[in-house]
Amino acid sequence: MNESRASKVARIAILSVLIVFTATPLYVMLSTSVKPLSEVQREFTWIPRSITIQPFIDMWSTVHLADYFLNSLIVAGISSTLSVVIALVAGYATSRYVFRGRNLFSGVILSTQMIPGILFLLPLFLIFVSVDNFLGFELLYQTRFGLIIVFMTFTLPFSIYMFANYLNGIPRELDEAARMDGCGVFATLFKVIVPTAVPGIVAVWVYSFMLAWGEILFASQLTDNESATLAIGLQNYATQLDVYWNQIMAASLAVSLPVVIGFMLLQRYFVAGLTAGSVK
């Protein structure tokens, strides 16, 4: 079916507006990151009068950015991996087995996505403090382990839903053939189903990682200086004496790179898994 000229013009116009809307903030970040601080503090200019890479060097010493980067990498990596493993098992059970309360279980999982996360902040804070007081040492509050638990539980509902729908599209004959060869439930899952579900696994992992990487609400209240993530660390470029806008922009670009690079490398798996899991 040939596209009319009017439709083509409208499509190009809409895409152009979206590109400008998306690219403008990125350009401002990039241009600000290569300006000296004295120029940033003056009237804004679209084109830098002088270009320097010093902000990209100073951002590591002004704030302990490497420590925050490591915390975010550990928290996001472990929480997303645990979420994938647990959600894969739960999604497989939901997809392959009929049990009492299955529909209720699926409904409850989806309903949790409608509750704002801020409603869980105070209960989690009280639970974490109470557990730490009972144990006599900090296990959950102001630790990376506690943040991993929080991120993992918040990504689990959607991850289970995604896996259950994705696995529904994988023929059950594979399970039956594996069991005829003597495979148990877990052997069937990890030796037969997992290799065919790689796009779905990548999609869920990327979703969980990106959510944990940029989360700020729980990270701001449940961490201290030693366990704070990048989203919190970036705030330290604003001091009582000055705001290092050029270093903030440089650090923001550096923080975004791992997610952008990872998404580009795994894009085909992510798109295929997300699409399959949402429509099957």
Side-chain angles (χ1 to χ4, degrees):
M1 182 176 178
N2 294 329
E3 184 180 16
S4 65
R5 182 177 180 84
S7 301
K8 185 176 181 179
V9 172
R11 177 171 57 83
I12 294 176
I14 293 174
L15 290 176
S16 300
V17 171
L18 292 176
I19 291 173
V20 171
F21 183 78
T22 305
T24 300
L26 295 176
Y27 173 77
V28 172
M29 288 178 59
L30 180 60
S31 63
T32 304
S33 66
V34 295
K35 292 179 181 178
L37 184 60
S38 58
E39 182 178 343
V40 175
Q41 293 173 336
R42 295 200 298 265
E43 183 180 357
F44 175 76
T45 57
W46 288 97
I47 301 176
R49 296 186 179 92
S50 58
I51 296 178
T52 176
I53 62 170
Q54 195 62 36
F56 288 92
I57 300 174
D58 294 339
M59 69 180 186
W60 300 100
S61 56
T62 302
V63 171
H64 298 295
L65 190 63
D67 295 335
Y68 298 128
F69 194 95
L70 179 62
N71 288 338
S72 287
L73 192 62
I74 292 174
V75 170
I78 295 179
S79 64
S80 57
T81 302
L82 290 175
S83 179
V84 165
V85 174
I86 297 174
L88 179 61
V89 176
Y92 180 74
T94 305
S95 172
R96 291 297 195 265
Y97 296 96
V98 178
F99 53 88
R100 181 177 298 178
R102 187 173 106 170
N103 293 333
L104 177 62
F105 175 73
S106 301
V108 170
I109 286 177
L110 289 179
S111 65
T112 58
Q113 299 299 104
M114 297 184 292
I115 303 176
I118 195 172
L119 295 181
F120 296 98
L121 181 58
L122 181 58
L124 283 173
F125 173 80
L126 295 177
I127 292 172
F128 281 15
V129 172
S130 298
V131 171
D132 288 353
N133 290 336
F134 176 78
L135 295 175
F137 61 93
E138 290 186 350
L139 175 67
L140 299 175
Y141 182 58
Q142 294 184 338
T143 65
R144 291 184 295 200
F145 178 72
L147 207 57
I148 289 172
I149 298 298
V150 171
F151 291 163
M152 181 187 67
T153 54
F154 272 90
T155 56
L156 268 177
F158 184 75
S159 300
I160 294 174
Y161 172 76
M162 282 285 295
F163 273 129
N165 283 274
Y166 187 86
L167 295 178
N168 284 337
I170 297 178
R172 297 175 182 268
E173 287 77 9
L174 292 177
D175 302 60
E176 298 173 359
R179 288 170 187 172
M180 290 180 63
D181 290 337
C183 292
V185 175
F186 287 100
T188 301
L189 173 60
F190 290 104
K191 292 183 179 180
V192 178
I193 302 300
V194 167
T196 62
V198 171
I201 294 173
V202 172
V204 173
W205 191 88
V206 171
Y207 158 78
S208 303
F209 186 88
M210 292 177 64
L211 190 66
W213 186 263
E215 204 282 330
I216 190 172
L217 175 62
F218 294 96
S220 63
Q221 301 299 321
L222 301 178
T223 60
D224 57 7
N225 290 331
E226 294 183 0
S227 58
T229 58
L230 282 168
I232 308 304
L234 292 177
Q235 300 177 7
N236 294 333
Y237 287 102
T239 66
Q240 294 181 349
L241 301 178
D242 214 337
V243 179
Y244 300 95
W245 289 110
N246 53 349
Q247 294 185 39
I248 292 177
M249 297 297 103
S252 299
L253 290 173
V255 167
S256 304
L257 279 179
V259 177
V260 173
I261 294 174
F263 184 84
M264 292 177 64
L265 293 176
L266 303 174
Q267 182 180 7
R268 63 189 183 97
Y269 295 106
F270 182 75
V271 174
L274 189 61
T275 303
S278 61
V279 300
K280 287 185 178 179

mmCIF file of all heavy atoms in Angstrom, residues 87-88 90-96 102 105-106 109 157-170 172 204 276-277 280:
data_model
loop_
_atom_site.group_PDB
_atom_site.id
_atom_site.type_symbol
_atom_site.label_atom_id
_atom_site.label_comp_id
_atom_site.label_asym_id
_atom_site.label_seq_id
_atom_site.Cartn_x
_atom_site.Cartn_y
_atom_site.Cartn_z
ATOM 1 N N ALA A 87 11.949 -14.354 38.792
ATOM 2 C CA ALA A 87 10.797 -14.140 37.910
ATOM 3 C C ALA A 87 10.704 -15.228 36.845
ATOM 4 O O ALA A 87 9.594 -15.605 36.439
ATOM 5 C CB ALA A 87 10.893 -12.767 37.251
ATOM 6 N N LEU A 88 11.842 -15.741 36.395
ATOM 7 C CA LEU A 88 11.829 -16.806 35.393
ATOM 8 C C LEU A 88 11.171 -18.069 35.951
ATOM 9 O O LEU A 88 10.339 -18.698 35.290
ATOM 10 C CB LEU A 88 13.256 -17.107 34.935
ATOM 11 C CG LEU A 88 13.419 -18.225 33.899
ATOM 12 C CD1 LEU A 88 12.678 -17.875 32.614
ATOM 13 C CD2 LEU A 88 14.896 -18.470 33.610
ATOM 14 N N ALA A 90 9.087 -18.214 38.580
ATOM 15 C CA ALA A 90 7.674 -17.931 38.852
ATOM 16 C C ALA A 90 6.870 -17.830 37.563
ATOM 17 O O ALA A 90 5.738 -18.318 37.481
ATOM 18 C CB ALA A 90 7.556 -16.632 39.652
ATOM 19 N N GLY A 91 7.450 -17.204 36.541
ATOM 20 C CA GLY A 91 6.757 -17.094 35.263
ATOM 21 C C GLY A 91 6.573 -18.435 34.598
ATOM 22 O O GLY A 91 5.534 -18.687 33.966
ATOM 23 N N TYR A 92 7.549 -19.321 34.741
ATOM 24 C CA TYR A 92 7.440 -20.661 34.168
ATOM 25 C C TYR A 92 6.319 -21.443 34.853
ATOM 26 O O TYR A 92 5.530 -22.139 34.194
ATOM 27 C CB TYR A 92 8.770 -21.384 34.312
ATOM 28 C CG TYR A 92 8.768 -22.787 33.745
ATOM 29 C CD1 TYR A 92 8.786 -23.002 32.373
ATOM 30 C CD2 TYR A 92 8.742 -23.901 34.587
ATOM 31 C CE1 TYR A 92 8.784 -24.295 31.850
ATOM 32 C CE2 TYR A 92 8.739 -25.188 34.071
ATOM 33 C CZ TYR A 92 8.765 -25.381 32.703
ATOM 34 O OH TYR A 92 8.760 -26.654 32.182
ATOM 35 N N ALA A 93 6.249 -21.325 36.180
ATOM 36 C CA ALA A 93 5.184 -22.009 36.921
ATOM 37 C C ALA A 93 3.814 -21.469 36.536
ATOM 38 O O ALA A 93 2.856 -22.231 36.359
ATOM 39 C CB ALA A 93 5.413 -21.859 38.420
ATOM 40 N N THR A 94 3.713 -20.161 36.378
ATOM 41 C CA THR A 94 2.436 -19.551 36.002
ATOM 42 C C THR A 94 2.029 -19.940 34.592
ATOM 43 O O THR A 94 0.849 -20.117 34.290
ATOM 44 C CB THR A 94 2.522 -18.025 36.117
ATOM 45 O OG1 THR A 94 2.960 -17.663 37.438
ATOM 46 C CG2 THR A 94 1.180 -17.366 35.857
ATOM 47 N N SER A 95 3.023 -20.071 33.702
ATOM 48 C CA SER A 95 2.731 -20.384 32.308
ATOM 49 C C SER A 95 2.396 -21.850 32.090
ATOM 50 O O SER A 95 1.514 -22.179 31.290
ATOM 51 C CB SER A 95 3.933 -19.996 31.435
ATOM 52 O OG SER A 95 3.777 -20.450 30.114
ATOM 53 N N ARG A 96 3.078 -22.735 32.801
ATOM 54 C CA ARG A 96 2.978 -24.164 32.490
ATOM 55 C C ARG A 96 2.043 -24.955 33.404
ATOM 56 O O ARG A 96 1.605 -26.030 33.043
ATOM 57 C CB ARG A 96 4.371 -24.795 32.556
ATOM 58 C CG ARG A 96 5.298 -24.337 31.432
ATOM 59 C CD ARG A 96 4.737 -24.770 30.072
ATOM 60 N NE ARG A 96 5.711 -24.676 29.013
ATOM 61 C CZ ARG A 96 5.840 -23.641 28.195
ATOM 62 N NH1 ARG A 96 5.042 -22.603 28.342
ATOM 63 N NH2 ARG A 96 6.755 -23.641 27.236
ATOM 64 N N ARG A 102 -4.402 -19.242 40.518
ATOM 65 C CA ARG A 102 -3.479 -18.755 39.494
ATOM 66 C C ARG A 102 -3.927 -17.412 38.930
ATOM 67 O O ARG A 102 -3.120 -16.496 38.784
ATOM 68 C CB ARG A 102 -3.365 -19.766 38.358
ATOM 69 C CG ARG A 102 -2.291 -19.409 37.337
ATOM 70 C CD ARG A 102 -2.114 -20.519 36.332
ATOM 71 N NE ARG A 102 -2.701 -20.141 35.061
ATOM 72 C CZ ARG A 102 -2.544 -20.823 33.922
ATOM 73 N NH1 ARG A 102 -1.831 -21.921 33.909
ATOM 74 N NH2 ARG A 102 -3.091 -20.424 32.802
ATOM 75 N N PHE A 105 -3.379 -14.768 41.484
ATOM 76 C CA PHE A 105 -1.950 -14.453 41.569
ATOM 77 C C PHE A 105 -1.539 -13.485 40.470
ATOM 78 O O PHE A 105 -0.851 -12.495 40.722
ATOM 79 C CB PHE A 105 -1.143 -15.747 41.477
ATOM 80 C CG PHE A 105 0.348 -15.547 41.422
ATOM 81 C CD1 PHE A 105 1.051 -15.159 42.545
ATOM 82 C CD2 PHE A 105 1.043 -15.739 40.232
ATOM 83 C CE1 PHE A 105 2.429 -14.964 42.489
ATOM 84 C CE2 PHE A 105 2.416 -15.567 40.170
ATOM 85 C CZ PHE A 105 3.110 -15.178 41.307
ATOM 86 N N SER A 106 -1.989 -13.759 39.243
ATOM 87 C CA SER A 106 -1.661 -12.877 38.120
ATOM 88 C C SER A 106 -2.274 -11.488 38.304
ATOM 89 O O SER A 106 -1.642 -10.476 38.001
ATOM 90 C CB SER A 106 -2.149 -13.503 36.807
ATOM 91 O OG SER A 106 -1.564 -14.768 36.599
ATOM 92 N N ILE A 109 -0.328 -9.512 40.933
ATOM 93 C CA ILE A 109 0.959 -9.063 40.388
ATOM 94 C C ILE A 109 0.779 -7.779 39.583
ATOM 95 O O ILE A 109 1.527 -6.812 39.749
ATOM 96 C CB ILE A 109 1.586 -10.172 39.514
ATOM 97 C CG1 ILE A 109 2.138 -11.278 40.393
ATOM 98 C CG2 ILE A 109 2.690 -9.602 38.629
ATOM 99 C CD1 ILE A 109 2.707 -12.428 39.615
ATOM 100 N N PRO A 157 7.227 -7.980 40.014
ATOM 101 C CA PRO A 157 5.872 -8.169 39.461
ATOM 102 C C PRO A 157 5.811 -8.082 37.942
ATOM 103 O O PRO A 157 5.276 -8.981 37.281
ATOM 104 C CB PRO A 157 5.073 -7.034 40.125
ATOM 105 C CG PRO A 157 5.783 -6.772 41.402
ATOM 106 C CD PRO A 157 7.226 -6.966 41.087
ATOM 107 N N PHE A 158 6.361 -7.006 37.377
ATOM 108 C CA PHE A 158 6.328 -6.861 35.929
ATOM 109 C C PHE A 158 7.182 -7.920 35.251
ATOM 110 O O PHE A 158 6.842 -8.411 34.167
ATOM 111 C CB PHE A 158 6.806 -5.467 35.532
ATOM 112 C CG PHE A 158 6.712 -5.201 34.047
ATOM 113 C CD1 PHE A 158 5.490 -4.952 33.451
ATOM 114 C CD2 PHE A 158 7.852 -5.200 33.258
ATOM 115 C CE1 PHE A 158 5.392 -4.714 32.091
ATOM 116 C CE2 PHE A 158 7.772 -4.958 31.894
ATOM 117 C CZ PHE A 158 6.534 -4.714 31.319
ATOM 118 N N SER A 159 8.292 -8.310 35.894
ATOM 119 C CA SER A 159 9.162 -9.336 35.323
ATOM 120 C C SER A 159 8.444 -10.678 35.254
ATOM 121 O O SER A 159 8.556 -11.409 34.253
ATOM 122 C CB SER A 159 10.440 -9.462 36.159
ATOM 123 O OG SER A 159 11.156 -8.246 36.191
ATOM 124 N N ILE A 160 7.725 -11.038 36.298
ATOM 125 C CA ILE A 160 6.964 -12.296 36.290
ATOM 126 C C ILE A 160 5.905 -12.267 35.199
ATOM 127 O O ILE A 160 5.701 -13.246 34.467
ATOM 128 C CB ILE A 160 6.320 -12.538 37.671
ATOM 129 C CG1 ILE A 160 7.409 -12.768 38.723
ATOM 130 C CG2 ILE A 160 5.369 -13.731 37.622
ATOM 131 C CD1 ILE A 160 6.876 -12.862 40.141
ATOM 132 N N TYR A 161 5.207 -11.135 35.088
ATOM 133 C CA TYR A 161 4.175 -11.000 34.057
ATOM 134 C C TYR A 161 4.778 -11.137 32.660
ATOM 135 O O TYR A 161 4.219 -11.807 31.791
ATOM 136 C CB TYR A 161 3.485 -9.645 34.213
ATOM 137 C CG TYR A 161 2.542 -9.303 33.092
ATOM 138 C CD1 TYR A 161 1.288 -9.895 33.009
ATOM 139 C CD2 TYR A 161 2.909 -8.379 32.110
ATOM 140 C CE1 TYR A 161 0.418 -9.585 31.971
ATOM 141 C CE2 TYR A 161 2.042 -8.067 31.072
ATOM 142 C CZ TYR A 161 0.804 -8.671 31.007
ATOM 143 O OH TYR A 161 -0.049 -8.365 29.977
ATOM 144 N N MET A 162 5.929 -10.517 32.449
ATOM 145 C CA MET A 162 6.592 -10.603 31.152
ATOM 146 C C MET A 162 7.003 -12.031 30.824
ATOM 147 O O MET A 162 6.770 -12.532 29.717
ATOM 148 C CB MET A 162 7.823 -9.699 31.141
ATOM 149 C CG MET A 162 7.527 -8.225 30.966
ATOM 150 S SD MET A 162 7.098 -7.843 29.263
ATOM 151 C CE MET A 162 8.633 -8.230 28.441
ATOM 152 N N PHE A 163 7.592 -12.718 31.789
ATOM 153 C CA PHE A 163 8.037 -14.088 31.547
ATOM 154 C C PHE A 163 6.857 -15.024 31.312
ATOM 155 O O PHE A 163 6.918 -15.900 30.437
ATOM 156 C CB PHE A 163 8.868 -14.591 32.731
ATOM 157 C CG PHE A 163 10.324 -14.249 32.632
ATOM 158 C CD1 PHE A 163 10.990 -13.647 33.678
ATOM 159 C CD2 PHE A 163 11.042 -14.541 31.486
ATOM 160 C CE1 PHE A 163 12.326 -13.326 33.586
ATOM 161 C CE2 PHE A 163 12.392 -14.229 31.379
ATOM 162 C CZ PHE A 163 13.028 -13.619 32.438
ATOM 163 N N ALA A 164 5.790 -14.871 32.087
ATOM 164 C CA ALA A 164 4.634 -15.744 31.921
ATOM 165 C C ALA A 164 4.053 -15.615 30.519
ATOM 166 O O ALA A 164 3.727 -16.624 29.870
ATOM 167 C CB ALA A 164 3.575 -15.416 32.970
ATOM 168 N N ASN A 165 3.939 -14.382 30.023
ATOM 169 C CA ASN A 165 3.395 -14.172 28.687
ATOM 170 C C ASN A 165 4.369 -14.625 27.609
ATOM 171 O O ASN A 165 3.951 -15.160 26.577
ATOM 172 C CB ASN A 165 3.051 -12.694 28.495
ATOM 173 C CG ASN A 165 1.762 -12.306 29.176
ATOM 174 O OD1 ASN A 165 0.671 -12.446 28.626
ATOM 175 N ND2 ASN A 165 1.869 -11.828 30.396
ATOM 176 N N TYR A 166 5.650 -14.413 27.831
ATOM 177 C CA TYR A 166 6.639 -14.824 26.828
ATOM 178 C C TYR A 166 6.705 -16.343 26.725
ATOM 179 O O TYR A 166 6.766 -16.900 25.624
ATOM 180 C CB TYR A 166 8.009 -14.254 27.179
ATOM 181 C CG TYR A 166 9.039 -14.495 26.105
ATOM 182 C CD1 TYR A 166 9.175 -13.610 25.035
ATOM 183 C CD2 TYR A 166 9.876 -15.611 26.143
ATOM 184 C CE1 TYR A 166 10.111 -13.828 24.044
ATOM 185 C CE2 TYR A 166 10.812 -15.830 25.146
ATOM 186 C CZ TYR A 166 10.927 -14.938 24.098
ATOM 187 O OH TYR A 166 11.851 -15.169 23.111
ATOM 188 N N LEU A 167 6.700 -17.032 27.868
ATOM 189 C CA LEU A 167 6.803 -18.488 27.866
ATOM 190 C C LEU A 167 5.548 -19.145 27.314
ATOM 191 O O LEU A 167 5.600 -20.289 26.862
ATOM 192 C CB LEU A 167 7.085 -18.996 29.279
ATOM 193 C CG LEU A 167 8.443 -18.583 29.868
ATOM 194 C CD1 LEU A 167 8.587 -19.090 31.284
ATOM 195 C CD2 LEU A 167 9.592 -19.085 29.008
ATOM 196 N N ASN A 168 4.414 -18.435 27.343
ATOM 197 C CA ASN A 168 3.199 -18.977 26.731
ATOM 198 C C ASN A 168 3.374 -19.178 25.228
ATOM 199 O O ASN A 168 2.675 -20.001 24.622
ATOM 200 C CB ASN A 168 2.016 -18.037 26.978
ATOM 201 C CG ASN A 168 1.489 -18.153 28.397
ATOM 202 O OD1 ASN A 168 1.682 -19.161 29.063
ATOM 203 N ND2 ASN A 168 0.830 -17.109 28.877
ATOM 204 N N GLY A 169 4.296 -18.433 24.630
ATOM 205 C CA GLY A 169 4.532 -18.558 23.195
ATOM 206 C C GLY A 169 5.515 -19.642 22.823
ATOM 207 O O GLY A 169 5.741 -19.904 21.637
ATOM 208 N N ILE A 170 6.126 -20.281 23.824
ATOM 209 C CA ILE A 170 7.058 -21.381 23.557
ATOM 210 C C ILE A 170 6.273 -22.694 23.598
ATOM 211 O O ILE A 170 5.573 -22.966 24.573
ATOM 212 C CB ILE A 170 8.191 -21.401 24.594
ATOM 213 C CG1 ILE A 170 9.010 -20.103 24.490
ATOM 214 C CG2 ILE A 170 9.094 -22.611 24.393
ATOM 215 C CD1 ILE A 170 10.124 -19.999 25.500
ATOM 216 N N ARG A 172 4.696 -26.178 24.256
ATOM 217 C CA ARG A 172 4.782 -27.080 25.403
ATOM 218 C C ARG A 172 5.375 -28.433 25.005
ATOM 219 O O ARG A 172 5.776 -29.218 25.875
ATOM 220 C CB ARG A 172 3.396 -27.273 26.010
ATOM 221 C CG ARG A 172 2.794 -25.987 26.569
ATOM 222 C CD ARG A 172 1.372 -26.213 27.047
ATOM 223 N NE ARG A 172 0.793 -24.961 27.530
ATOM 224 C CZ ARG A 172 0.823 -24.549 28.794
ATOM 225 N NH1 ARG A 172 1.421 -25.339 29.698
ATOM 226 N NH2 ARG A 172 0.279 -23.420 29.161
ATOM 227 N N VAL A 204 13.872 -8.519 30.115
ATOM 228 C CA VAL A 204 13.556 -8.354 31.536
ATOM 229 C C VAL A 204 14.775 -7.838 32.293
ATOM 230 O O VAL A 204 14.663 -6.975 33.172
ATOM 231 C CB VAL A 204 13.059 -9.684 32.135
ATOM 232 C CG1 VAL A 204 12.901 -9.569 33.643
ATOM 233 C CG2 VAL A 204 11.738 -10.075 31.505
ATOM 234 N N ALA A 276 7.292 -9.698 22.209
ATOM 235 C CA ALA A 276 6.690 -11.019 22.387
ATOM 236 C C ALA A 276 5.989 -11.136 23.721
ATOM 237 O O ALA A 276 4.897 -11.664 23.853
ATOM 238 C CB ALA A 276 7.748 -12.109 22.238
ATOM 239 N N GLY A 277 6.616 -10.603 24.762
ATOM 240 C CA GLY A 277 6.042 -10.720 26.088
ATOM 241 C C GLY A 277 4.824 -9.870 26.303
ATOM 242 O O GLY A 277 4.035 -10.113 27.214
ATOM 243 N N LYS A 280 1.739 -11.823 23.387
ATOM 244 C CA LYS A 280 1.396 -13.248 23.325
ATOM 245 C C LYS A 280 0.479 -13.620 24.496
ATOM 246 O O LYS A 280 0.559 -13.046 25.549
ATOM 247 C CB LYS A 280 2.656 -14.103 23.337
ATOM 248 C CG LYS A 280 3.414 -14.031 22.009
ATOM 249 C CD LYS A 280 4.585 -14.956 21.995
ATOM 250 C CE LYS A 280 5.303 -14.923 20.654
ATOM 251 N NZ LYS A 280 6.473 -15.804 20.611
#
